[in-house]
């Protein structure tokens, strides 16, 4: 059994910061670097020293603290090859399908373009966790700033192949709005209703709705269910191509 510890905390207006720590090696990875102060505070609270930053994509709210943390801790920054030129301080570029190590922690990069063209998600098998940046959210997915719907649907299908007992961490707390949208498009989904009730309870208690089991997302997130016959029927799209169903869902969500 792995001893890897994961700490998640709020950053900026609705970003998540996440630290991954391996007590055996002392390795501490920041998943993205949204904001220096809360990351430093979380490190101090745990008594951990930052050794690495693992970047999902180039947007400012995910890389803003890269250089400050690199200066303060001398960390190694690892990120997507395709966005190498846009990631401040990057030391090592990786690509989808790569399996690599960061200070003794095994990481698998999953190609998840769509939100940006080079976005990677990172699976840590020993921690049974995946860090999906702005590709997949709880009950939602990232906006298509650079890629298209077919590209993002292919990305989400890759994430969907991970085991049900994988914990999903992502870049933002958008679940309340996503939950309202999901119920609107998939009102007959009992698993979704249960998850929405849980989301409401968590938010009332002032708690985050992430992480969440990927197995739960597979049954509740409409963007992971674009090929589900019940959801297709609810959308009036029975027999349509899943990529077209996905595109319709994404367009509806854009104007929701
Ligand atoms: Zn983004
Ligand atoms: Fe973001």
């Amino acid at each position: 059994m792995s001893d890897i510890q994961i700490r998640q905390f709020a950053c900026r207006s609705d970003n998540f910061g996440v630290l991954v720590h391996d007590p055996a090696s002392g390795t501490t990875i920041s998943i993205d670097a949204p904001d220096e102060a809360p990351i430093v505070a979380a490190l101090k609270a745990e008594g951990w020293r930052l050794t690495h930053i693992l970047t999902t994509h180039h947007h400012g709210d995910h890389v803003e603290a890269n250089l400050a943390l690199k200066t303060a801790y001398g960390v190694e920054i690892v990120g997507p090859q395709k966005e190498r030129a846009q990631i401040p301080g990057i030391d090592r570029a990786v690509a989808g399908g790569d399996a690599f190590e960061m200070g003794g922690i095994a990481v698998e990069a999953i190609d998840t373009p769509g939100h940006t063209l080079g976005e990677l998600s990172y699976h840590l098998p020993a921690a049974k966790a995946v860090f999906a940046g702005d590709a997949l959210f709880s009950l939602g997915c990232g906006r298509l700033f650079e890629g298209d719907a077919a590209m993002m649907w292919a990305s989400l299908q890759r994430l969907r192949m991970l085991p049900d007992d994988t914990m999903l961490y992502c870049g933002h707390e958008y679940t309340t709005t996503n939950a309202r949208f999901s119920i609107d498009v998939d009102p007959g989904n009992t698993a979704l209703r249960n998850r929405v009730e849980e989301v409401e309870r968590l938010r009332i208690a002032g708690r985050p709705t992430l992480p969440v089991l990927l197995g739960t997302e597979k049954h509740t997130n409409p963007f992971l269910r674009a090929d589900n016959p019940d959801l297709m029927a609810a959308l009036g799209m029975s027999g349509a191509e899943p990529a077209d169903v996905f595109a319709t869902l994404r367009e509806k969500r854009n104007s929701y």
Side-chain angles (χ1 to χ4, degrees):
M1 210 27 223
S2 139
D3 296 325
I4 292 175
Q5 297 169 270
I6 301 178
R7 294 291 178 269
Q8 176 190 265
F9 45 95
C11 274
R12 307 175 74 101
S13 56
D14 51 31
N15 281 77
F16 285 116
V18 179
L19 296 174
V20 177
H21 179 71
D22 175 23
S25 62
T27 298
T28 303
I29 304 169
S30 179
I31 307 297
D32 286 331
D35 194 3
E36 184 185 6
I39 294 171
V40 170
L43 287 164
K44 288 199 169 132
E46 300 293 345
W48 298 343
R49 185 190 162 79
L50 194 65
T51 56
H52 299 79
I53 295 170
L54 185 54
T55 304
T56 60
H57 67 296
H58 68 81
H59 284 159
D61 60 313
H62 298 260
V63 301
E64 192 175 280
N66 275 20
L67 294 181
L69 292 171
K70 189 166 186 171
T71 302
Y73 297 96
V75 298
E76 181 187 43
I77 301 178
V78 180
Q81 171 68 44
K82 287 180 184 162
E83 299 183 0
R84 177 170 205 138
Q86 297 155 285
I87 295 170
I90 189 168
D91 297 293
R92 181 160 44 136
V94 294
D98 285 358
F100 57 99
E101 278 203 3
M102 298 177 81
I105 299 177
V107 182
E108 298 167 0
I110 301 169
D111 205 18
T112 51
H115 178 69
T116 65
L117 287 177
E119 176 148 21
L120 294 177
S121 297
Y122 299 104
H123 180 220
L124 274 57
K128 292 190 174 186
V130 65
F131 303 94
D134 289 359
L136 178 62
F137 299 123
S138 182
L139 303 180
C141 73
R143 280 181 184 262
L144 304 177
F145 286 122
E146 297 179 12
D148 62 21
M151 184 185 277
M152 184 61 115
W153 171 237
S155 295
L156 297 191
Q157 286 177 278
R158 280 190 282 278
L159 288 171
R160 201 173 65 170
M161 286 165 58
L162 294 171
D164 283 3
D165 64 351
T166 308
M167 275 300 206
L168 169 68
Y169 290 81
C170 60
H172 293 270
E173 176 64 275
Y174 290 155
T175 317
T176 300
T177 310
N178 289 340
R180 282 202 299 272
F181 173 77
S182 299
I183 282 285
D184 271 12
V185 295
D186 196 11
N189 183 337
T190 307
L192 173 59
R193 291 197 164 277
N194 292 338
R195 170 65 175 151
V196 170
E197 282 174 18
E198 179 186 52
V199 166
E200 286 168 355
R201 279 199 304 274
L202 287 168
R203 296 314 287 162
I204 286 167
R207 291 169 59 196
T209 64
L210 276 292
V212 61
L213 278 174
L214 195 59
T216 301
E217 285 297 306
K218 290 181 193 180
H219 289 107
T220 56
N221 187 330
F223 295 96
L224 291 177
R225 289 164 45 79
D227 54 357
N228 179 280
D230 295 335
L231 179 55
M232 285 176 162
L235 291 166
M237 295 185 78
S238 291
E241 283 296 322
D244 293 336
V245 176
F246 177 86
T248 298
L249 283 167
R250 190 55 258 180
E251 278 162 27
K252 281 180 185 285
R253 179 66 179 82
N254 288 346
S255 55
Y256 186 76

